[in-house]
Amino acid sequence: MTTSEEIATNAGPLTDTPEADTFEISLFGPDDKGESVVIHYGASRWIIVDSCRDPVSTEPAALDYLHRLGVDLRSVTHVVATHAHDDHIDGLAEILEASTEARFVCSGALTGKEFIALTEIDEELEKLNRGVFKEFRIIDSILQSRQSPHNRLGRYWRGIEGRRFVVSDPVAGVPPITVMALTPSDTAQTRSLTQLARMYPTGGAKIPIGSPPNETCLALWIDAGGTRLILGADVEAGPSDCGWKGV
């Protein structure tokens, strides 16, 4: 596992690019101010989950890492947003823009009209430095620019409990890989949309209250040829049928 401290102490090129048959997961979290995960799942294929910024280069840590490995970003197959909190999405739009062949995956609750309405209101608040939804507005713009009848990359891939978004057969010594959403459950998604709707300003209010609820959070199950991992992001324990109680 690669840590942010190791990356920060050496700004030069990296030489330990994983072999084609290697499953590798690298975790970044500079100064406890964000998290990002970079996954190599064999055959020069990569997944980026969430984003934070490298303390030295100030670019998204995942991009900094892959640039220094000399990775062609067209080999990034998926960019995943687990939830819409600043410490997990800082720079995620830059990652998606650079990863021109990647599908964008997020919690289904973050594609609902309740969340989209908040991103539109939040645009008016950037002059107050309160633009917490700005990253998703840029992501939406990138996806719209990629839309065409023959391009499936210009749309959201909605993560919800039990949905698989990576299923690959064995290739050239690489074991089969499955990546599946463990959360949110149907109940959690419904609760999230209700809470998002309540955040909408009413009665002349100017600023949305709070951040999107953690019930929107997307946890992942990864099975790499029998090696199994859970990426839990900020999933909470409950309530009933939500979070880990719903898994």
Side-chain angles (χ1 to χ4, degrees):
M1 179 175 292
T2 306
T3 67
S4 58
E5 289 79 8
E6 291 170 336
I7 295 297
T9 56
N10 179 10
L14 298 174
T15 59
D16 55 346
T17 305
E19 299 294 333
D21 61 352
T22 299
F23 177 86
E24 177 189 272
I25 180 167
S26 300
L27 173 65
F28 304 88
D31 301 322
D32 298 322
K33 295 180 180 178
E35 295 178 11
S36 182
V37 175
V38 178
I39 302 167
H40 176 259
Y41 64 104
S44 299
R45 297 168 299 176
W46 301 82
I47 299 171
I48 299 174
V49 182
D50 289 348
S51 179
C52 60
R53 293 194 179 273
D54 182 90
V56 175
S57 70
T58 72
E59 75 171 324
L63 289 185
D64 180 82
Y65 177 58
L66 294 179
H67 282 152
R68 291 169 57 194
L69 284 176
V71 170
D72 183 346
L73 294 179
R74 290 175 296 182
S75 62
V76 176
T77 62
H78 297 78
V79 174
V80 182
T82 61
H83 60 300
H85 286 177
D86 285 346
D87 59 339
H88 283 256
I89 63 169
D90 188 11
L92 197 65
E94 292 177 49
I95 291 173
L96 181 63
E97 186 170 30
S99 306
T100 56
E101 300 299 315
R103 294 173 175 174
F104 181 71
V105 182
C106 67
S107 166
L110 301 185
T111 65
K113 63 181 184 298
E114 295 84 352
F115 181 79
I116 300 301
L118 288 172
T119 68
E120 293 172 350
I121 290 176
D122 193 65
E123 186 172 12
E124 302 173 5
L125 305 176
E126 285 185 38
K127 60 185 177 182
L128 303 177
N129 199 28
R130 292 290 302 274
V132 297
F133 295 95
K134 178 180 179 181
E135 206 74 30
F136 270 84
R137 286 201 308 279
I138 301 173
I139 287 169
D140 188 68
S141 177
I142 294 169
L143 291 175
Q144 289 189 39
S145 73
R146 295 178 180 176
Q147 287 180 355
S148 76
H150 306 291
N151 187 356
R152 305 176 71 191
L153 301 181
R155 68 186 199 191
Y156 292 95
W157 288 70
R158 296 169 178 84
I160 192 166
E161 178 186 13
R163 179 169 293 172
R164 301 178 182 184
F165 60 88
V166 175
V167 179
S168 68
D169 295 326
V171 178
V174 180
I177 304 291
T178 300
V179 182
M180 180 179 71
L182 291 176
T183 63
S185 63
D186 285 330
T187 300
Q189 183 159 284
T190 300
R191 283 175 53 87
S192 298
L193 293 174
T194 300
Q195 293 180 59
L196 287 168
R198 289 172 179 166
M199 290 171 61
Y200 195 91
T202 58
K206 300 295 184 182
I207 300 176
I209 299 174
S211 298
N214 270 3
E215 277 92 343
T216 66
C217 199
L218 177 64
L220 304 179
W221 166 272
I222 302 173
D223 187 331
T227 298
R228 299 178 177 91
L229 302 170
I230 293 177
L231 301 183
D234 286 345
V235 175
E236 297 180 348
S240 180
D241 295 325
C242 298
W244 295 120
K245 287 186 178 180
V247 174

